[in-house]
Amino acid sequence: MPTDENRHPLRFGLKTTPMHLSYDEILRVWEEADDLPELDDAWLWDHLMPLAGPPGGAVLEGWTLLAALAARTTRLRLGLLVTANTLRAPAHLGKIATTVDAISGGRLVMGLGVGGTRQPDGPNPAVAEFAAYGFPLPSPAEGLARLTETITILRRMWTEEVFDHDGPFTTLRGTRNGPGPARPGGPPLLLGGWGDRTLRIVAEHADIWNVPGPPHNSTEWIAERARVLDAHCAAIGRDPAEITRSAQIIVDHSDPAATRAHVHALAAAGIWHIVLALPRPYPDNAARRLVEEIVVPVRESGIV
């Protein structure tokens, strides 16, 4: 549990999952949120096929959509929760991200995760998605190694004028990335994930750690994963307070009190960035309802 010495201001964002929705429906929510200072950021996901509902339903590609929304907003920080690392070559991803950062005037947060990998058992939607779009599905170990290499390449694209790279999966020669990022060092890096090996990468590289919260995972489980992250930080001599703890929760429009209870529990566990994921269809004034029914009452209760 956080002490008075390490408490941070509680920040809120929203997430629109571009599945079975039109661009206009998503744009409406983002433009409304952009006018609400109580919301700090807005997020998309990174899938190419629906994960629920009719398999032939509409899905908008994440980075293309993010660029369009960056051009139509002025204040919100923005990103993908999270980019599937293996869907794009690392330097190509760096160029895409830098372009969105330029369009947004430096508002990008670089959300990144391992992406789909081969799993020994249980349902795995990545199998169909990767097969449909011609991507090989790596093992978990390869996925983690590729993630680490991508982080290295992104950092170099954002800090070096020209460089070569000889890595386990990628060879680059004379890589340049102009224009450079809006902020020195590039956008902050958000890493999503919860496995022990992933959390070691988070400890080494991330500015922000994000994990799915209720209803997918309990606050107690998140607190346990946070302790693992703390141990990794201690092992490498990093102050764990340098990493913002972030969780996304699915909003229950019919029971905002339940959503507020989840926020209170997460804040008590040291999670100080809450992403409110909107279930579809989006009601009128969806972003304003988040502020009025969740953000303001939580803050008025004493969490700041």
Side-chain angles (χ1 to χ4, degrees):
M1 181 173 295
T3 65
D4 289 341
E5 288 76 21
N6 63 16
R7 283 183 179 272
H8 303 281
L10 185 61
R11 297 187 296 106
F12 289 90
L14 65 79
K15 182 179 180 182
T16 54
T17 300
M19 175 178 67
H20 307 302
L21 290 164
S22 70
Y23 169 63
D24 287 341
E25 290 174 289
I26 297 168
L27 176 63
R28 168 173 62 86
V29 174
W30 279 56
E31 288 186 325
E32 181 185 1
D34 201 42
D35 290 331
L36 298 170
E38 296 87 352
L39 298 172
D40 290 286
D41 37 73
W43 304 86
L44 303 170
W45 74 348
D46 193 24
H47 289 281
L48 305 174
M49 295 169 59
L51 299 187
V59 170
L60 298 171
E61 195 278 326
W63 277 99
T64 311
L65 178 59
L66 189 66
L69 295 169
R72 295 293 296 267
T73 55
T74 61
R75 184 190 59 82
L76 291 166
R77 299 208 306 172
L78 43 84
L80 267 60
L81 278 181
V82 286
T83 303
N85 179 55
T86 48
L87 293 184
R88 301 164 190 85
H92 186 203
L93 175 61
K95 175 60 72 175
I96 293 168
T98 305
T99 300
V100 173
D101 191 53
I103 291 169
S104 69
R107 291 182 285 128
L108 178 68
V109 179
M110 185 66 219
L112 188 63
V114 171
T117 59
R118 297 193 299 271
Q119 299 297 318
D121 51 32
N124 185 356
V127 172
E129 183 176 31
F130 278 53
Y133 281 84
F135 293 102
L137 197 60
S139 68
E142 180 182 333
L144 288 165
R146 286 184 176 275
L147 175 64
T148 301
E149 183 178 56
T150 294
I151 293 169
T152 298
I153 291 171
L154 291 177
R155 295 292 196 201
R156 297 191 71 182
M157 292 181 74
W158 291 332
T159 57
E160 300 181 31
E161 182 178 350
V162 58
F163 67 93
D164 299 334
H165 174 85
D166 291 284
F169 309 102
T170 305
T171 300
L172 303 174
R173 290 290 177 267
T175 301
R176 298 178 183 269
N177 184 37
R183 286 166 288 186
L189 178 63
L190 178 151
L191 293 179
W194 53 86
D196 288 1
R197 290 180 294 176
T198 302
L199 290 174
R200 174 64 183 230
I201 298 173
V202 172
E204 292 172 343
H205 298 287
D207 301 298
I208 307 165
W209 169 54
N210 181 268
V211 65
H216 298 299
N217 297 301
S218 69
T219 300
E220 292 76 17
W221 178 85
I222 293 174
E224 185 275 330
R225 292 289 83 196
R227 289 191 290 272
V228 173
L229 175 59
D230 291 342
H232 283 309
C233 288
I236 64 173
R238 185 177 185 188
D239 182 355
E242 294 176 1
I243 303 172
T244 298
R245 313 299 172 95
S246 171
Q248 48 186 310
I249 62 177
I250 297 179
V251 173
D252 186 345
H253 289 309
S254 66
D255 190 0
T259 302
R260 293 195 298 269
H262 289 316
V263 174
H264 280 280
L266 288 167
I271 305 298
W272 289 93
H273 177 234
I274 307 295
V275 178
L276 301 168
L278 287 168
R280 65 183 194 280
Y282 300 150
D284 292 338
N285 302 312
R288 187 168 297 279
R289 284 183 59 178
L290 293 181
V291 170
E292 293 177 350
E293 297 178 357
I294 300 171
V295 177
V296 170
V298 166
R299 287 180 170 161
E300 289 179 346
S301 70
I303 296 179
V304 297

